[in-house]
Amino acid sequence: MMNTRNLIATAALSVLTITGFAQQKSILGTEKLKKYVTYFNSIDTEAVKNHVPNADAFTWLAEQAPLFECPDSVLEQNYYYRWWTYRKHLVKTPEGFIFTEFIEPVKHAGKYNSISCALGHHIYEGRWLKDNAYLKDYIKFWLYHADVGQTKQRFHQFSSWVDDAVYQNYLVKPDQEFLKEILPALDKDYGKWELERQLKNGLFWQHDVKDGMEESISGSRKDQNQRPTINSYMYGNAMALHKIATLLGDGTLASKYKNKAVVLKKLVQDSLWNVSSSFFETRKAKGGSSDVREAIGFTPWEFNLPDDQSKYAKAWDQLLDTAGFKAPWGLTTAERRNPTFRTRGTGHSCEWDGALWPFASSQTLKGLANLLTNYKKHGKMNAGVFYQELHQYAASHIKNGKPYLGEYQDEKTGEWLKGDNPRSSFYNHSTFNDLIINDLIGIKPRQDNVLEISPLIPKNQWDWFMLDQVTYHNKVVTILWDKTGKKYNKGKGLLVFVDGKQIYKGKDLKPVKVQMN
């Protein structure tokens, strides 16, 4: 008969190998995770239980989510809160796992309460979970199952950057066979968007409601307006399909999508850039710019679309302007100086005419991170601006003094404008943890076996931090910064471990490229 010690060891081994490869022992440990999950569980009525109920949340997150600690308690708590809420939306269906947007059933959803609006956000966030099988199921659901048996199309119910997200997922969890399997469907889907939404001038049009951004200042439910959103998404999708096809050795397809991306990039810069306002703006169906700056004008940087020129970087000046997008509670969805700012509702519809939306905040922060990391011309932007706005975004996740994530907020008071509507709780419509891992700590996924880290932590902001148990290229990565060497007792400076082995040590918190072999 097995003794107790052997039973415990056997159980531990089963946890270690659950995702298909052995995990290294956590350096950070799960004590903080346990503390946060216990707290979040204690304030939750758990009206809806999906695949992983609260009772199993700690065990599941300990197996799946990277661990994080830093001196900024607001960022740290919200990091764990966002994993805890993301887990709530994992649903097991007869057609595989999916992630929902609303925790409660809503009328405009498809089967299993599925909605495609935040699909790109879901994939960007979920790629950092250890087991990528959940996302693979979810991606295949939208490509093959979502519209089957439905009275109206569901996949194209909203604009999407799914191809870009699929490629970004691949860079974290490489699987060429999966890409090979779904590439024909991705190619076909891009063509469908061209048939449905591409104008003769080559730009794409979209109703604001189909962008998931209804009642916006520049938007329309009827006019075929050419919006920075869908055009940036389609550029990102074309670039991703070019890279996927290249990776799989399909030169013809790679060339086809490279050409599409080149053309679309030029069209966006030539037609959607308003020289007089120095901003990317919606072009009206009848011609001319909408003449209003909206957060969607930052979307091109989410996909590294604009050229690296000072004139384009100037758009980001509006992020610091209180007549632009800077409000006491966060970044607005439209410029505050506009005469029609916040005039389209009373908080009971969906107002994108200025109120704060996590969806838009996370897009803008991703664009800003890309500007700071991938461009030389930064205008007035720096790591300090990124950090402050990320911190403010995290701080906005609160209601009645407790952690909360809802639909949208008043820019001055932080009031959640859907009130106590139960559908809004745990609203899975944005990213946060991807911004921590990919942008603030700065793990920059690549096709090769080089681990690239480009942190956006301002100088002297933190004396220490640790990001632990990150699965990347089938390895387990730990990044820690210890200015004095006394926090973790592993040595001074920036240390990087892969599968438990130290592969880098440097005295400064600065960009790093190191071979993982």
Side-chain angles (χ1 to χ4, degrees), residues 23-72:
Q23 298 177 8
Q24 295 298 314
K25 183 181 178 182
S26 169
I27 297 175
L28 183 57
T30 57
E31 291 81 7
K32 281 197 170 181
L33 172 65
K34 181 75 170 178
K35 179 192 76 171
Y36 283 119
V37 169
T38 300
Y39 169 53
F40 302 147
N41 284 350
S42 75
I43 61 173
D44 182 25
T45 60
E46 199 172 17
V48 175
K49 294 183 181 181
N50 286 319
H51 183 63
V52 185
N54 286 358
D56 298 333
F58 169 73
T59 301
W60 191 85
L61 289 171
E63 291 171 359
Q64 294 293 337
L67 302 167
F68 176 60
E69 76 167 359
C70 71
D72 188 327

Side-chain angles (χ1 to χ4, degrees), residues 264-281 293 297-301 304-319 325 367-368 371 375-381:
L264 201 47
K265 176 188 174 85
K266 186 176 189 307
L267 285 169
V268 169
Q269 294 188 149
D270 290 350
S271 300
L272 301 188
W273 179 256
N274 187 335
V275 175
S276 63
S277 64
S278 296
F279 215 76
F280 287 106
E281 297 177 358
R293 299 183 186 94
F298 296 122
T299 310
W301 280 276
N304 300 291
L305 183 155
D307 286 331
D308 193 356
Q309 296 179 11
S310 297
K311 70 173 183 177
Y312 294 125
K314 185 174 170 56
W316 289 92
D317 291 357
Q318 297 300 323
L319 210 68
F325 296 90
L368 177 56
L371 176 83
Y375 288 71
K376 294 179 180 178
K377 306 292 185 182
H378 300 158
K380 297 178 181 179
M381 298 295 100

Side-chain angles (χ1 to χ4, degrees), residues 167-273:
Y167 178 67
Q168 294 301 325
N169 177 58
Y170 168 82
L171 291 180
V172 177
K173 303 287 197 302
D175 186 342
Q176 286 197 25
E177 285 304 309
F178 180 66
L179 289 185
K180 189 175 181 180
E181 176 188 350
I182 66 172
L183 180 56
L186 295 175
D187 177 31
K188 184 179 179 181
D189 183 65
Y190 194 101
K192 187 179 179 184
W193 276 113
E194 289 178 320
L195 288 172
E196 292 174 356
R197 288 292 190 269
Q198 194 168 32
L199 296 166
K200 289 181 180 179
N201 67 8
L203 285 167
F204 290 83
W205 66 271
Q206 187 60 291
H207 301 310
D208 59 358
V209 66
K210 296 293 187 179
D211 259 343
M213 302 177 176
E214 57 267 46
E215 320 312 336
S216 63
I217 294 177
S218 73
S220 169
R221 290 175 178 258
K222 296 180 180 179
D223 296 332
Q224 296 184 357
N225 291 341
Q226 298 142 66
R227 294 166 60 81
T229 42
I230 190 169
N231 285 286
S232 297
Y233 301 163
M234 297 310 291
Y235 168 81
N237 288 336
M239 284 300 298
L241 289 171
H242 160 67
K243 290 171 182 175
I244 292 170
T246 300
L247 185 68
L248 298 178
D250 190 333
T252 302
L253 198 64
S255 178
K256 167 184 158 182
Y257 279 105
K258 183 62 186 290
N259 291 338
K260 289 180 185 294
V262 168
V263 170
L264 201 47
K265 176 188 174 85
K266 186 176 189 307
L267 285 169
V268 169
Q269 294 188 149
D270 290 350
S271 300
L272 301 188
W273 179 256

Side-chain angles (χ1 to χ4, degrees), residues 131 180 447:
D131 190 349
K180 189 175 181 180
Q447 283 189 23

